[in-house]
Structures are given as structure tokens and as C-alpha cells.
Amino acid sequence: MFDTHASAVARLSGIRPFRLGGRVESVGALSVEISGLSRHVAVGDRVELVLRDGTLGLAEIVGVSGRCLQAAPFGGTLGIGAGAAVIVSSAGDLAPSDAWLGRVIDPLGSAVDGGCGLPRGPVKRNVRSRPPPAIARARLGGPIDLGVRVLNCFTTCRTGQRLGLFAGSGVGKSTLLSMLARHTACDVAVLALVGERGREVREFIEDDLGPEGLARSVVVVATSDAAPLLRREAAYTAMTVAEHFRDQGRSVLLLMDSVTRFCLALREIGLAAGEPPATRGYPPSVFAELPMLLERAGPGPMDATGRAGQITALFTVLVEGSDHDEPVADAVRGILDGHVVLDRRIAEGGRYPAVDILRSLSRAASGCLDARQAALVREARAMLALHADMADMARLGAVRPGADPALDRALAVVPRLEAMLTQSRDDFSSIATSFDRLEAALSSDARP
């Protein structure tokens, strides 16, 4: 006699679920070795470790050596002992939704702003997904208004473009990021604070971003005291959230601070897994994984009508000792579509944002500037370059007025350019206004 549907469900509900398990063999500073699961999990899968107090700690498989697996815990190795039980976990996917706007979350997708829990969206997303196929992606859109004069004029950015923001510490990087987050013309902003100082997170959200900026933003936070796996995951989570809004056809601004701390987290994970240090202590996996993250930003895949959402991304890079040729900076510069360099000497001179115009470049600007705008940029760059070459001679009094009309004009125009480029945090300047002010600064009675 066949069971009825109700009795079958009752019998099935009484069956205890089968769960794959293993045990911890050894514990290191950043990783643990696990046995008993080598045939059932792979690199990238997640497991749960039973800690000494009976709670569960999430970890990710980062290496395989013979029959032992190496796992990096998301919460560090504190409380993990040899022989601890290990259970295969189904965690690892995010389900972003529009209700995440205005919220501050951790890299695992949980709210950390004291509000109610985050509702899950209808679609699960793998945080380690691949970039869209190159041929299927849309092209860059028109110019996007960043609200900052020096960037609008000299590193004009197109919708879907990716720029690197290269800066040392204390040069005004955070202030510039706050200006971009508040003023950029976009539908949604996603901010990734990777390895940020814990003290500065609340100040950035409340003072720099502000209520209006937060209302259209999702902020992903992993502070500097977080385990390296969490710091790495913050970048992937922010990218996944940005892709959710991009696939709705929206224009998304992604600000990630910083790629350098993301690479440092990758280095810690790689070294703990036994990778050899190759380039200045960075294992090879860092430079293999870096483009897998950065290439996910940009134009999305086109739909049936040929339209696509865009992720316009700015990634900050902390240059060590102002060395712009260090491995991470060099690799990022080669992947992205342009770079903005902040210079300490300019900041010390009192001009903010302290962008070094002659060393900054937008590779896509030529596709969105009209003839008038392109001519103004060329003329201003020529004046700045000539002034930079002869500034020391002028200070020494070795420049005779009238001997070189072009130099006379540069010496007259550059101070006005510097004044035009100075902008406070709360000052907004559209693209049209920025070029009008640039044209006014270049007009001079010193013109030959």
C-alpha cells in the first residue's frame, strides 16, 4: 500500500540529514589543516569549525596538500583546537536587494549598522563570479559628472570607466573619496572600506558621506583588525552588490579603498597556504587574482535591446614611500583605464584636491571631450609643464620678462589655474562649469 502524501512527508521529515564532516589536524597562525574531507570539498568551498566554546566559526578552503586541506578562518584561529569537528557549509552566496540601500554591511552580508536584518533578494550570487565576456559587454558611455573640477577637466571619466587613485598616506585621499561619493552623478554608490581604521568608519559615513549620500549607497566594511579572509571578502562582496544594481540597468559608482589592502590580505592568505613569496613578498596568486576582481567592473553585458548597466569604479592604491612603480601600483595601473596621482608636495602647498595633473591620465577622455574642451586641456597641460620646468629658474630671478612670451604667459596663468583647481569638500562643480572656469583661468592679458 502506497503512503499518502502527508504520511510520506512525515516519514521524510523524521530522517536525520546527512552532513559531511572532518576534523582539525593542526592550527597555525592564520590557517588550519583539516583531514577527512579531501574527496568532498575543493578550494573556495566553505566549512564550519566547532570552536572550543561550542560555537561555529566559518572558514574557507584555500589549499590542498595530499589528503589534508588548508582552511583560513574568517574570524581568525582563536578558539580552534586540534581534533575540532569540521562540517561542510552551504554558505558562500549573497542575495542583494534594493532594501540594502542606505545600509552598512560586513563582508558576509550581515548588517552592522544596528538596524534590522537585511532582507535577501530573489537571486543568489556567487561572490567569486567571473567578469562578463569581453565581446558581450557594452561600450563605455558618455562623460560622467564627478563633481570635482580637476577630475572633470583633466581626467574626464566616462560611464563604466575604471580609474586608479594613487596616493600616499595623509594626502587627502579620504576627502576626495567623500567628494566623489556625494557629488558623482549616478543611480547607486557602493563603497568598500577594506582594512580601514575602525575609528574612521563612523566619521566617514556620518560626516563625509552624510545622510543624503548614504541613502543611495551600500557600504561594505572590514576594518584593519579583521582576519585577512574578511578583508579580502569585503572587495568581492562590494563588487557583487554593484553587479546586482548594474544588472538592473542602473549606473553604479563603485569606490574601493583600498586595492593595496586587498592585496595585502591576499598575500597573508597565500603565504599561510604555503605559496612562495615572489615579488617583494607577494606570492604569484595575488597578481593572478587582482585582474579577476578589477575586470568585473565596467560596462555590463548588453540585453536584447542593446542597453546595459554600468559600474564606474575608482580604486585607491596606497603607494609605499611614494614609489609608484611598486608591484601592486604597477599591476593596477596596467589593468585600469586611467590613473589619478595625488602628490604630497601639492598637498603641503595647500591645494586640495592635491592631484598632480601632469602625472594623471584618463585613457578614455578623448572619446567624450568636444573640440573646445580638448583644446583647453591641451593648453592648460602645456602651461603647467612649462611652468614646472622653469619654476626654479623663476624663483632664482634667472628669467628675464619678455625673453620668452610663452614662459611669461605660463607664469601669469598657472597661479590662476591653481586657484581654479582648489575646491572644498562641500563645493560641487559640474562638467560644464568646470570647463568654463578653466577657460576663464586661461584667458590672460599676458597672451602674446
Side-chain angles (χ1 to χ4, degrees):
M1 181 96 184
F2 292 105
D3 289 336
T4 63
H5 176 74
S7 63
V9 170
R11 289 167 63 89
L12 289 173
S13 63
I15 299 175
R16 296 183 62 184
F18 173 76
R19 304 189 73 176
L20 292 172
R23 67 171 188 161
V24 173
E25 292 293 337
S26 63
V27 182
L30 296 175
S31 64
V32 299
E33 283 196 348
I34 299 170
S35 63
L37 291 174
S38 59
R39 295 179 180 270
H40 306 287
V41 296
V43 172
D45 290 341
R46 294 184 178 178
V47 296
E48 292 177 316
L49 311 176
V50 180
L51 305 183
R52 185 169 51 191
D53 59 2
T55 60
L56 296 178
L58 192 64
E60 182 176 307
I61 305 300
V62 297
V64 179
S65 178
R67 294 189 176 183
C68 281
L69 303 170
Q70 291 173 305
F74 280 90
T77 58
L78 188 65
I80 303 174
V86 181
I87 305 168
V88 176
S89 174
S90 60
D93 294 330
L94 283 181
S97 74
D98 290 4
W100 290 21
L101 290 172
R103 303 301 300 273
V104 183
I105 66 175
D106 68 11
L108 299 179
S110 300
V112 294
D113 54 8
C116 58
L118 291 175
R120 292 177 61 84
V123 179
K124 287 184 178 181
R125 291 178 172 272
N126 189 336
V127 296
R128 303 294 293 278
S129 62
R130 297 186 63 83
I135 300 301
R137 301 184 83 154
R139 299 188 58 169
L140 295 176
I144 183 171
D145 198 337
L146 301 178
V148 182
R149 282 190 291 274
V150 63
L151 301 184
N152 279 341
C153 290
F154 294 100
T155 57
T156 312
C157 184
R158 297 171 64 179
T159 306
Q161 189 173 344
R162 303 161 304 167
L163 288 175
L165 186 59
F166 295 76
S169 58
V171 190
K173 170 178 56 62
S174 296
T175 302
L176 180 56
L177 285 178
S178 70
M179 295 171 68
L180 293 169
R182 297 169 69 181
H183 299 323
T184 300
C186 63
D187 299 322
V188 175
V190 179
L191 289 80
L193 304 180
V194 182
E196 187 61 82
R197 302 178 187 90
R199 176 190 61 80
E200 294 183 348
V201 171
R202 187 172 175 182
E203 295 177 3
F204 180 84
I205 294 172
E206 295 179 357
D207 300 338
D208 296 335
L209 191 57
E212 293 183 2
L214 181 60
R216 65 167 188 171
S217 303
V218 179
V219 183
V220 183
V221 176
T223 52
S224 60
D225 61 320
L229 212 62
L230 276 178
R231 284 180 269 133
R232 183 209 69 181
E233 202 72 4
Y236 285 120
T237 296
M239 188 66 73
T240 304
V241 173
E243 289 171 336
H244 162 75
F245 293 107
R246 179 205 65 193
D247 291 346
Q248 296 178 351
R250 302 194 198 186
S251 174
V252 183
L253 173 69
L254 173 64
L255 299 176
M256 187 173 295
D257 184 21
S258 70
V259 172
T260 303
R261 299 195 196 105
F262 168 75
C263 290
L264 291 174
L266 291 178
R267 180 171 69 179
E268 293 179 45
I269 296 168
L271 294 177
E275 282 192 73
T279 307
R280 293 199 190 180
Y282 288 97
S285 63
V286 173
F287 302 101
E289 198 159 345
L290 190 56
M292 297 298 295
L293 173 72
L294 302 182
E295 284 289 350
R296 289 169 63 179
M302 294 181 292
D303 59 18
T305 64
R307 302 180 63 183
Q310 306 270 2
I311 300 177
T312 306
L314 285 96
F315 302 93
T316 68
V317 180
L318 298 172
V319 289
E320 300 177 1
S322 299
D323 180 10
H324 289 264
D325 294 323
E326 58 95 18
V328 172
D330 199 42
V332 171
R333 190 166 47 243
I335 297 171
L336 300 183
D337 308 317
H339 49 274
V340 178
V341 178
L342 299 186
D343 190 273
R344 190 176 305 279
R345 290 176 299 175
I346 296 176
E348 291 170 349
R351 196 253 282 171
Y352 289 95
V355 176
D356 189 333
I357 293 170
L358 298 179
R359 298 169 65 191
S360 301
L361 174 70
S362 170
R363 294 192 178 100
S366 60
C368 65
L369 295 178
D370 60 31
R372 165 184 168 264
Q373 293 169 341
L376 289 172
V377 171
R378 285 195 301 269
E379 184 179 2
R381 284 185 177 273
M383 293 293 102
L384 289 166
L386 181 58
H387 184 273
D389 289 339
M390 301 301 294
D392 291 339
M393 297 293 290
R395 293 190 190 97
L396 294 172
V399 175
R400 182 164 52 88
D404 186 346
L407 179 57
D408 291 343
R409 180 162 180 259
L411 293 174
V413 167
V414 167
R416 283 200 297 276
L417 281 175
E418 293 287 341
M420 184 275 292
L421 295 173
T422 301
Q423 186 173 349
S424 65
R425 184 178 64 181
D426 298 324
D427 183 13
F428 168 79
S429 184
S430 67
I431 292 179
T433 302
S434 299
F435 278 101
D436 288 343
R437 295 192 60 172
L438 176 61
E439 185 174 30
L442 288 172
S443 62
S444 169
D445 295 335
R447 183 184 299 273

